[in-house]
Amino acid sequence: MSGPQCCANPPTLNPSSGAGHVEKVGGLDSYVSGSPDSKLAILLVSDVYGYEAPNLRKLADKIAAAGFYAVVPDFFYGDPFVSDNAERPIQVWIKDHGMDKGYEDAKPVIEALNSKGVSAIGAVGFCWGAKVVVELGKASAFIKAAVLCHPSFVTVDDIKELKVPISILGAEIDQLSPPALLKQFEEVLASKSEVDSFVKVFPKVAHGWTVRYNVEDEAAVKSAEEAHGNLLELFVKYVK
């Protein structure tokens, strides 16, 4: 993640983007979309650029349109990574925003959703967020299904510990989770017959492509939308 790829194509953050709104969930400011009466919720855990990224919120709206209550918490407490701040490169920023803290912060969000009557929760993580989601997926208590999009810092040992159905959507051009590593993930998952899994490497796309795509690039939009369809398939199947 310390390489330039994790931070390529930064989004233009927009706090008013999306069809939903921001409210506190489990103590964190969160973008929420969809019916608050839905018994099914999806937690979206962002990349280092945080919860105000328009494409991420657009995906939350798409998930909400499928019948889920979509929740995108601000795990960075108003302090997302800023790519052009030379005094605070990613290696410095991440010391204040470790994935282990993200995992701990996700638990009260899940508790808050459960206490309001949500009966099943799925989670999708992007880059930084994928590590948080894989940690949640190591226990069956938190989520029913996990999706990792172009994960960062996820290891083979993490995958061995998974307890919930999972989809891993990777990019052909990815230094953080290269296709060879995804192949190892696939082999581990194939040996875990008790865990339903789906691993896919998308051709001609780079790390971050599911949420950091150029909306005017037709091919990029098509690849992102294909991934969005794949992640929804898992949630429709298991978060019910």
Side-chain angles (χ1 to χ4, degrees):
M1 176 141 182
S2 55
Q5 210 182 25
C6 90
C7 311
N9 306 317
T12 300
L13 301 183
N14 181 353
S16 61
S17 59
H21 65 275
V22 173
E23 63 179 60
K24 291 275 188 194
V25 181
L28 295 181
D29 285 339
S30 303
Y31 175 80
V32 297
S33 187
S35 170
D37 298 324
S38 176
K39 301 296 181 201
L40 311 174
I42 304 298
L43 186 66
L44 292 88
V45 188
S46 75
D47 61 17
V48 296
Y49 292 108
Y51 84 133
E52 292 181 351
N55 283 354
L56 178 62
R57 290 188 173 190
K58 192 186 296 183
L59 175 55
D61 293 343
K62 190 184 293 188
I63 290 169
F68 299 100
Y69 186 57
V71 180
V72 193
D74 177 14
F75 287 105
F76 307 136
Y77 297 85
D79 181 39
F81 178 65
V82 178
S83 57
D84 55 5
N85 181 355
E87 293 180 8
R88 203 172 178 218
I90 188 71
Q91 299 91 330
V92 175
W93 178 89
I94 207 158
K95 288 177 182 173
D96 296 325
H97 300 291
M99 281 111 349
D100 51 345
K101 186 171 188 313
Y103 168 61
E104 293 302 328
D105 284 346
K107 293 178 188 175
V109 174
I110 290 168
E111 285 169 17
L113 291 170
N114 287 331
S115 69
K116 74 186 279 299
V118 167
S119 57
I121 300 171
V124 52
F126 308 87
C127 315
W128 182 96
K131 180 72 168 182
V132 173
V133 169
V134 85
E135 291 297 331
L136 291 171
K138 291 178 183 179
S140 49
F142 299 121
I143 57 175
K144 301 286 188 200
V147 179
L148 313 182
C149 294
H150 32 86
S152 300
F153 297 118
V154 175
T155 66
V156 168
D157 285 342
D158 287 329
I159 300 301
K160 285 178 180 173
E161 293 181 50
L162 272 172
K163 301 277 194 301
V164 300
I166 186 163
S167 287
I168 304 175
L169 309 178
E172 181 183 10
I173 308 154
D174 195 334
Q175 298 147 358
L176 300 153
S177 289
L181 179 60
L182 292 186
K183 185 76 182 160
Q184 287 180 272
F185 291 170
E186 191 172 27
E187 287 166 1
V188 168
L189 290 164
S191 69
K192 289 170 68 77
S193 57
E194 74 282 8
V195 174
D196 191 8
S197 62
F198 176 79
V199 180
K200 183 171 176 179
V201 175
F202 285 69
K204 301 177 185 172
V205 296
H207 181 84
W209 98 97
T210 65
V211 283
R212 299 210 301 259
Y213 58 90
N214 178 352
V215 294
E216 292 171 6
D217 180 336
E218 200 173 312
V221 171
K222 189 172 179 218
S223 290
E225 288 182 343
E226 185 181 338
H228 301 162
N230 289 148
L231 69 85
L232 269 171
E233 282 167 22
L234 187 81
F235 291 145
V236 167
K237 187 173 180 183
Y238 287 107
V239 183
K240 55 187 182 180

